[in-house]
């Protein structure tokens, strides 16, 4: 499948595919007769890359993950460590947001008290 076909079939903007290609994130993709050609394995990798971006991985983290996944035979522990670190950071963000919500609720409570006086 060429870039346009992938974009239409999977609803991935061409700009996103361009970014992946130029960033070397899909370096296995073949360049044939003047255009990029994606096979099923490339699409699987692209799906993984998009999932990593969706959960907050930046381009450098994606490159590291994909390198470990594709080029290192015994990298499961390193990949799990990367995922655990990302999960830990996300939990820290959630806890911070929960504290912020508690502060907002406290301020609302105080405003209601003042309004009732």
């Amino acid at each position: 499948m060429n870039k346009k076909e992938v974009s239409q079939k999977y609803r991935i903007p061409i700009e996103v595919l361009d970014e992946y290609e130029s960033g070397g994130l899909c370096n296995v993709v073949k360049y044939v007769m003047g255009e990029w050609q994606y096979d099923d394995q490339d699409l699987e990798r692209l799906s993984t890359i998009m999932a990593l971006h969706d959960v907050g991985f930046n381009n450098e983290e994606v490159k590291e993950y994909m390198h470990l996944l594709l080029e290192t035979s015994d990298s499961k522990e390193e990949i799990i460590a990367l995922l655990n670190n990302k999960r830990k950071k996300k939990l820290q963000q959630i806890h911070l947001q929960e504290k912020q919500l508690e502060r907002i609720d406290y301020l609302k409570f105080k405003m209601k008290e003042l309004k009732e006086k």
Side-chain angles (χ1 to χ4, degrees):
M1 255 188 287
N2 66 31
K3 187 187 306 187
K4 184 177 179 184
E5 292 167 335
V6 169
S7 175
Q8 290 173 344
K9 184 172 182 176
Y10 297 102
R11 297 183 182 172
I12 302 169
I14 293 286
E15 299 80 29
V16 171
L17 295 173
D18 288 341
E19 178 184 332
Y20 292 147
E21 291 169 3
S22 68
L25 297 176
C26 280
N27 60 0
V28 181
V29 175
K30 298 120 200 107
Y31 191 74
V32 179
M33 295 180 59
E35 64 183 343
W36 291 91
Q37 295 293 318
Y38 295 81
D39 61 20
D40 290 340
Q41 194 174 27
D42 298 323
L43 294 172
E44 182 70 29
R45 288 185 187 108
L46 183 59
S47 176
T48 299
I49 290 166
M50 292 178 71
L52 292 170
H53 276 293
D54 286 346
V55 298
F57 277 63
N58 63 36
N59 282 349
E60 288 305 312
E61 292 168 325
V62 169
K63 286 178 185 178
E64 180 181 2
Y65 183 99
M66 295 304 290
H67 171 75
L68 290 169
L69 185 66
L70 299 173
E71 298 178 13
T72 309
S73 61
D74 190 31
S75 60
K76 289 181 181 119
E77 292 299 320
E78 289 178 76
I79 290 172
I80 290 171
L82 280 174
L83 294 170
N84 282 337
N85 286 336
K86 184 56 73 175
R87 186 177 193 284
K88 182 179 176 182
K89 288 177 184 176
K90 288 293 179 186
L91 280 174
Q92 289 171 342
Q93 290 173 343
I94 289 169
H95 292 308
L96 174 63
Q97 290 175 336
E98 286 174 338
K99 287 180 183 180
Q100 292 170 335
L101 285 172
E102 289 173 7
R103 290 182 186 130
I104 289 171
D105 290 342
Y106 173 76
L107 292 170
K108 283 175 53 182
F109 171 77
K110 288 307 245 179
M111 286 282 92
K112 284 181 183 178
E113 273 186 345
L114 288 173
K115 185 178 175 183
E116 292 172 0
K117 286 184 180 181

